[in-house]
Amino acid sequence: MSETTSHPRSPGFGIVFFLLGIVVVGGFGVGWLPEVKSAHGHGIDGVIRYLLGTTGALFFLGCIVLGYFVMKYGRGEAQSGAIVSNRTQAIWAIVPVLIMCAISEVGVLVMGLPVFAEVYGEAPDDAYEVEVVGKQFEWLVRYPGPDGVFGEVDHAKVHETRNPLGLVKSDPAAQDDIVVRGKVHIPVDRMTVVRLRALDVIHSFTVPLFRVKQDTLPGYTAYTQFTPEEVGIFELACAELCGLGHYRMQGSVIVESEESLKNWLSEQEPWL
């Protein structure tokens, strides 16, 4: 009977881990994020870059260590086992956990809390307010009209064509409310507060270039706020799978000057 000889593995395989670390970290280092067009969006991008940078550095370090051990011990030769104390083992187990906690919790909180305050904190008194309502498969947008007050709504009064939001006709504040489909007109360089509702299922109000994504569900009014920095037309999408027609649930956010916005509102007719 012939004996099978096991050939030692090539330590050159460790180079693969070196290259993997370089490719992955280098790939994440490329500026792949889309443009940002809101004030708080820069902070969100900063948190993303921080996480990619820190975790990328740890990943690259891990690839270097792994590659080193493969190159040093990858020939399959017998090695004498090193004996380490329980204290050393505990340190090597606990320290990496503390480092990851510092990166993922402390670092993110330090960088993220100011951004969180911008998005969910107290809005200034002069903030512009608009209501966006999601339904399969479109966005309905309501403006408060000249009185600056949103009228009362009643879900039982919703009608697909005559009263899509269920405005209560007996409420004086609802008489001048303006309702349009898929067009969110807001002023530039002024904070906008968006009231969000849903009529049927969960939807997600998403404006990628503003770094805005806020879920809304039936029976609950959610809020999000942001300050656009540039005039233009931006994509409004639904980022929550809401049915077979989800793909066509799109709209536009039109950012314009205060004067242009006032002129547009003056040309609109109240829904009731």
Side-chain angles (χ1 to χ4, degrees), residues 163-253:
N163 195 356
L165 292 184
L167 295 177
V168 177
K169 296 182 181 180
S170 60
D171 180 14
Q175 296 297 320
D176 63 350
D177 283 3
I178 300 167
V179 179
V180 298
R181 298 181 186 270
K183 304 289 185 182
V184 184
H185 288 256
I186 58 176
V188 68
D189 293 327
R190 178 182 171 190
M191 178 169 285
T192 293
V193 177
V194 182
R195 295 167 36 137
L196 290 166
R197 294 191 296 119
L199 296 182
D200 37 37
V201 298
I202 297 176
H203 298 283
S204 185
F205 176 87
T206 305
V207 187
L209 295 189
F210 292 169
R211 304 298 190 268
V212 169
K213 182 183 183 296
Q214 177 62 55
D215 290 353
T216 178
L217 60 155
Y220 176 76
T221 302
Y223 292 85
T224 188
Q225 59 194 37
F226 50 87
T227 303
E229 295 182 317
E230 186 175 307
V231 171
I233 300 175
F234 304 93
E235 178 190 11
L236 166 61
C238 176
E240 194 76 41
L241 183 58
C242 56
L244 293 176
H246 166 72
Y247 68 92
R248 66 175 193 264
M249 190 166 174
Q250 297 178 322
S252 300
V253 177

Side-chain angles (χ1 to χ4, degrees), residues 140-184:
L140 300 169
V141 188
R142 180 164 66 131
Y143 304 86
D147 64 358
V149 180
F150 286 105
E152 185 183 351
V153 294
D154 183 355
H155 192 77
K157 299 182 182 296
V158 171
H159 186 278
E160 177 69 23
T161 55
R162 294 198 300 269
N163 195 356
L165 292 184
L167 295 177
V168 177
K169 296 182 181 180
S170 60
D171 180 14
Q175 296 297 320
D176 63 350
D177 283 3
I178 300 167
V179 179
V180 298
R181 298 181 186 270
K183 304 289 185 182
V184 184

Side-chain angles (χ1 to χ4, degrees), residues 103-147:
I103 292 173
S104 62
E105 300 299 332
V106 179
V108 170
L109 286 175
V110 169
M111 298 191 66
L113 282 177
V115 183
F116 185 88
E118 288 186 61
V119 179
Y120 296 106
E122 191 73 27
D125 294 336
D126 65 341
Y128 182 77
E129 191 168 4
V130 64
E131 182 180 74
V132 180
V133 181
K135 66 180 288 289
Q136 294 171 314
F137 296 98
E138 64 176 334
W139 296 105
L140 300 169
V141 188
R142 180 164 66 131
Y143 304 86
D147 64 358

Side-chain angles (χ1 to χ4, degrees), residues 11-24 59-60 62-71:
F13 185 65
I15 298 175
V16 173
F17 293 101
F18 288 122
L19 296 177
L20 178 64
I22 293 172
V23 170
V24 172
F59 177 79
F60 185 59
C63 287
I64 291 176
V65 173
L66 185 56
Y68 167 77
F69 282 120
V70 169
M71 294 181 69

